[in-house]
Amino acid sequence: MSSVRWVPVRAVATAAVCAASLWAVPGPALADGPHGADDPRSGARPAGPGDAGSRLDRRGVQFVPRPGVPEPPEISALSWMVTDLSSGKILAARDVHRPLPPASTLKTLFAVTVLPKFSQQTVHTVSLEDLAGIEAGSSMAGLKEEVPYHVADLWHGVFLSSGSDAVHTLASMNGGWNKTIDDMQETARRLGARDTRVESADGFDTPGQFSSAYDLALFGQAGLTNPDFARFAATKRAQLPEEGGPDAFGIQNTNRLLVGSHGVRPYDGMIGVKNGYTTHAGNTLIAAARRNGRTLLVTMMNPQSGGRNAVYEETRTLLDWGFAAAPRAAAVAVLPAPAPGGREGDPEHVAHRPAGSTDLHRGPVAANADADAGTRRWLLSAGAVGVVAVAGLGTGLWWRRRRPRDTGAEKPE
């Protein structure tokens, strides 16, 4: 057959190959983003086999090896997680859904729930009823009955002194202790914190109360989207009351990585968030740090090494590793973007994630967008199949027309 007679075949074959290639590669879903094929931004997927959520349900350390990325350091804590809040990528984790008592890190959920409800300039006079029910041995900010405080003073007492007296007072303003616990549980549900059960709003050891390193990361992330939360979490020292007066006194943040105390050096770039300790929970910590435009969040529960500063030094080690690994590390999973956490109708407190980010547990708007994208991919695939079928049929008909008729003549071999 001459080259002239092959022209239609080549044209049809080319069309078929192009259609098949469109069917096989559905656009940007396989595109390699600026952080690799695992780039968790729009149109990409977290790296690793299987579902990323189920990977976090596995026991032990979860990390996706990649050339040039060091493995996570050995950490004694029962549970921990390192998250790049700039993208939502979870860089490494250990037993992040293990239910453990959270101690005062649960105050982050309290703050996410209650802080948007009252203006910081509101004045409240502390009463005996406000301070009722505080458990013996609780940490205290030092509030005094019949003394008026601004709401901002009360939050200084929560974040810096981890004061149960400040928590009880704010809970009283919120409608009572039990209502506040119910509100906190609802906030946990809204954020997707499936491991958290709230029995005491201040984190005091209470039967049936637990959280997880994963849920604490959700609380820390949601809190940092609120400017007031971020400011209180980063405050090292304050006067209580802030306006001064004869009864005023100074308080200092108990997060040793933030202020540098008890033999712990302050961490470069530390921006808070909250530490905790009880006999049952051991040491717990939510720590955020920012360097060169990147914010990392480490959550840690109950180090087992026995060192008095273990929770701070092990967190330091994970932060150092995270800043070194983040530019090239693959994502074990992606932390869901926080739902709006501010006062309803107040755009100033609506939570945001940098443009182009994605999450694993999406709401109706994102789900509809995915449905539209899925429909487009289905139509593209169906169209490609149709083109291939037509191309094949056309080739067959053309060949049938060009084939020599059977007249008994000898056919070429």
Side-chain angles (χ1 to χ4, degrees):
M1 187 180 294
S2 68
S3 61
V4 174
R5 295 172 63 189
W6 274 100
V7 170
V9 176
R10 289 176 177 172
V12 174
T14 300
V17 170
C18 291
S21 67
L22 289 173
W23 179 32
V25 183
L30 297 182
D32 194 16
H35 297 282
D38 62 290
D39 185 6
R41 304 184 184 202
S42 180
R45 301 176 181 175
D51 177 69
S54 65
R55 185 181 185 114
L56 291 181
D57 288 329
R58 301 176 192 172
R59 297 297 303 272
V61 175
Q62 301 303 314
F63 167 67
V64 180
R66 171 172 276 188
V69 179
E71 292 190 0
E74 292 288 336
I75 298 298
S76 75
L78 295 179
S79 179
W80 54 265
M81 191 164 88
V82 182
T83 306
D84 182 353
L85 290 186
S86 307
S87 63
K89 292 168 59 174
I90 298 172
L91 307 180
R94 177 186 180 186
D95 295 346
V96 294
H97 288 300
R98 180 174 179 172
L100 293 167
S104 287
T105 52
L106 194 63
K107 290 183 175 77
T108 56
L109 176 59
F110 172 77
V112 170
T113 303
V114 178
L115 194 153
K117 296 185 178 184
F118 305 103
S119 166
Q120 300 305 309
Q121 297 307 312
T122 297
V123 176
H124 177 80
T125 300
V126 174
S127 68
L128 181 62
E129 291 75 18
D130 292 339
L131 304 179
I134 297 176
E135 298 284 352
S138 299
S139 55
M140 305 287 279
L143 301 181
K144 298 179 181 179
E145 299 170 27
E146 305 306 322
V147 173
Y149 296 91
H150 285 107
V151 165
D153 294 324
L154 302 178
W155 285 113
H156 279 141
V158 172
F159 278 90
L160 278 65
S161 300
S162 203
S164 290
D165 49 353
V167 172
H168 275 257
T169 300
L170 286 161
S172 179
M173 295 174 62
N174 186 56
W177 192 249
N178 291 332
K179 178 184 181 299
T180 299
I181 289 174
D182 291 342
D183 289 351
M184 291 170 64
Q185 194 67 66
E186 173 57 26
T187 300
R189 184 205 62 78
R190 175 174 59 83
L191 293 175
R194 73 186 198 200
D195 307 318
T196 297
R197 297 295 179 271
V198 183
E199 298 293 339
S200 178
D202 59 359
F204 192 87
D205 282 341
T206 306
Q209 178 164 275
F210 46 84
S211 189
S212 69
Y214 183 87
D215 286 6
L216 294 182
L218 291 174
F219 305 154
Q221 175 188 238
L224 289 172
T225 64
N226 183 317
D228 290 330
F229 182 108
R231 175 169 54 86
F232 289 125
T235 300
K236 296 180 180 181
R237 298 169 185 84
Q239 281 270 103
L240 191 65
E242 193 170 22
E243 289 186 347
D247 296 323
F249 56 93
I251 57 176
Q252 177 174 289
N253 201 310
T254 56
N255 182 347
R256 298 176 187 178
L257 279 180
L258 180 66
V259 300
S261 66
H262 298 78
V264 177
R265 291 180 293 105
Y267 191 81
D268 182 28
M270 177 61 53
I271 55 175
V273 177
K274 189 74 188 73
N275 56 308
Y277 173 81
T278 65
T279 302
H280 188 49
N283 285 288
T284 58
L285 182 63
I286 305 172
R290 184 179 297 119
R291 290 182 181 176
N292 300 320
R294 186 186 303 277
T295 301
L296 296 187
L297 184 73
V298 170
T299 53
M300 182 171 294
M301 305 185 78
N302 204 346
Q304 300 294 292
S305 68
R308 67 170 186 165
N309 288 322
V311 72
Y312 299 107
E313 297 307 336
E314 291 190 6
T315 296
R316 181 194 305 277
T317 300
L318 285 177
L319 285 169
D320 286 344
W321 172 82
F323 281 116
R328 299 176 303 279
V332 173
V334 179
L335 196 68
R343 200 177 303 173
E344 187 174 355
D346 182 359
E348 182 180 359
H349 291 291
V350 175
H352 292 287
R353 170 69 61 77
S357 66
T358 186
D359 59 272
L360 299 180
H361 308 285
R362 288 168 281 215
V365 175
N368 290 339
D370 285 351
D372 293 341
T375 301
R376 289 194 296 270
R377 287 194 293 269
W378 183 88
L379 290 173
L380 178 61
S381 299
V385 171
V387 171
V388 172
V390 171
L393 179 61
T395 302
L397 292 174
W398 179 85
W399 178 252
R400 182 178 180 84
R401 290 181 60 191
R402 301 295 299 172
R403 186 178 60 186
R405 297 183 178 181
D406 189 2
T407 57
E410 184 180 357
K411 299 176 184 177
E413 295 181 357

